[in-house]
Amino acid sequence: MASVTQLGYLGLSVSDINAWEHFATNTLGMQISARGDEGTLFLRIDDYHHRFLVHPTGKDDLDYFGWEVTDEHALRAMAEQLKAAGIEVRQGTPAEAQARGVVDLIAFKDPSGIPSEIFYGPLMAFNSPFQSPRPISGFVADTQGLGHMVVIMDDFDRSLHFYRDVLGMRISDFVQVERPPGNKMRLVFFHCNPRHHTIAFPAMPNPPKRLNHFMLQAKSLDDVGATYYLCQDQGIPIARTLGRHTNDHMVSFYLRTPSGFEVEYGWGARVVDDSTWQVQLHTAGSMWGHRPASR
Ligand code: FE
């Protein structure tokens, strides 16, 4: 079966684009690669021309997913898989492909109605290496995709089936926690390359926001520590303190974006080898730390 290979780009809809520009560059250390029509901000973290498209359209939530496949053959195979699953697929126009910076794309909605795109042929920028505006070592991305995200879905089983059996991702593990206390919440974590997870989700009716957080993986632990204290200096709210996750072994903390959802800033995750990986179950999200901090 055809499978997506990575999270290539993420579209965000925000209300305060100026706050986002300052936050993305001076706090997270992303680089602005371009400014598009209607004030869209293109942000990069690696050799891809951009990984985040931040639109000043006011939702303060995710806008769309951009899943990458290897080539045109894989794109057509994915379109057939989606249609076979009863999902309406729309061929992207040349203007849409140009706006995303890809050779070609298709568009559809996931089971929660989240606008989703599959593309091949991302615009690369090897001629102008990634340069963070902050003195950090950079991000682990490229073939592992831009990072990961936790999204709140409408229906757990339908979404699990879709991401596994239609998009072709593999389950890494499950985490079952009590949140809030007394309420059992189950999350499933999926990978589509060696990154331990690219998307993870619980399900909840009518979530206030779809996007709980996206994760950026720094190349050095020092970058995480320096950013943690920079947040304190800049008055950026820290949502969860430093900690280490049980499933991907990431050392990270969570900071709040100007849109209310969070960013996990981490380092040191283990990777998945599909030839030996076995699905696991965790009843704690963290080995230590990740305490709720300021709200
Ligand atoms: Fe995370």
Side-chain angles (χ1 to χ4, degrees):
M1 108 188 262
S3 168
V4 296
T5 56
Q6 61 157 286
L7 181 60
Y9 56 81
L10 187 58
L12 300 173
S13 169
V14 310
S15 52
D16 190 341
I17 195 78
N18 294 326
W20 260 94
E21 178 171 341
H22 190 268
F23 172 75
T25 53
N26 296 333
T27 306
L28 300 178
M30 294 182 181
Q31 181 184 355
I32 295 172
S33 59
R35 287 168 208 275
D37 298 338
E38 284 118 32
T40 297
L41 210 52
F42 290 75
L43 298 167
R44 73 181 282 199
I45 58 170
D46 62 356
D47 289 324
Y48 279 52
H49 176 267
H50 57 271
R51 290 296 201 166
F52 295 86
L53 298 95
V54 186
H55 305 284
T57 45
K59 281 199 302 182
D60 285 317
D61 202 350
L62 70 85
D63 211 11
Y64 50 85
F65 301 143
W67 299 108
E68 184 168 347
V69 292
T70 50
D71 55 18
E72 179 169 6
H73 182 74
L75 186 66
R76 298 298 150 222
M78 287 302 313
E80 290 312 311
Q81 258 166 234
L82 286 159
K83 284 179 201 160
I87 298 187
E88 200 177 311
V89 180
R90 189 175 64 76
Q91 169 62 46
T93 64
E96 286 172 327
Q98 193 175 353
R100 296 289 191 258
V102 300
V103 175
D104 197 7
L105 80 160
I106 56 174
F108 58 96
K109 289 198 165 125
D110 94 331
S112 297
I114 298 171
S116 304
E117 297 164 3
I118 298 181
F119 73 93
Y120 81 94
L123 178 61
M124 305 302 292
F126 287 107
N127 52 321
S128 167
F130 170 70
Q131 208 169 3
S132 173
R134 282 190 49 217
I136 56 171
S137 55
F139 299 100
V140 177
D142 294 300
T143 54
Q144 289 193 30
L146 65 85
H148 74 229
M149 54 191 181
V150 172
V151 178
I152 300 163
M153 300 301 192
D154 290 343
D155 185 284
F156 190 85
D157 293 335
R158 276 184 64 209
S159 299
L160 185 152
H161 164 70
F162 177 80
Y163 283 93
R164 185 187 59 191
D165 305 327
V166 183
L167 290 198
M169 302 181 80
R170 281 85 67 197
I171 293 175
S172 308
D173 41 42
F174 296 92
V175 176
Q176 209 162 283
V177 290
E178 288 206 10
R179 198 173 296 160
N183 178 54
K184 274 212 171 75
M185 187 171 74
R186 196 172 209 207
L187 293 95
V188 58
F189 293 72
F190 288 91
H191 64 274
C192 54
N193 59 52
R195 187 184 292 286
H196 173 275
H197 58 279
T198 290
I199 185 168
F201 54 80
M204 195 189 293
N206 306 313
K209 283 185 198 299
R210 287 285 178 202
L211 187 58
N212 172 270
H213 73 268
F214 67 80
M215 186 282 307
L216 296 174
Q217 185 172 344
K219 286 183 175 167
S220 132
L221 177 59
D222 292 330
D223 294 344
V224 176
T227 306
Y228 187 80
Y229 286 96
L230 181 69
C231 285
Q232 298 189 0
D233 294 343
Q234 293 181 338
I236 304 284
I238 289 171
R240 277 195 266 169
T241 62
L242 275 170
R244 184 160 214 158
H245 280 303
T246 48
N247 63 350
D248 65 357
H249 297 183
M250 180 92 73
V251 176
S252 61
F253 73 99
Y254 292 70
L255 58 158
R256 199 170 299 282
T257 69
S259 290
F261 55 78
E262 297 165 11
V263 173
E264 179 180 9
Y265 211 85
W267 165 85
R270 60 174 169 166
V271 292
V272 167
D273 175 351
D274 273 316
S275 68
T276 54
W277 185 261
Q278 299 183 99
V279 175
Q280 301 181 327
L281 171 65
H282 305 275
T283 53
S286 307
M287 301 180 197
W288 51 266
H290 287 145
R291 285 196 184 149
S294 59
R295 285 285 158 186

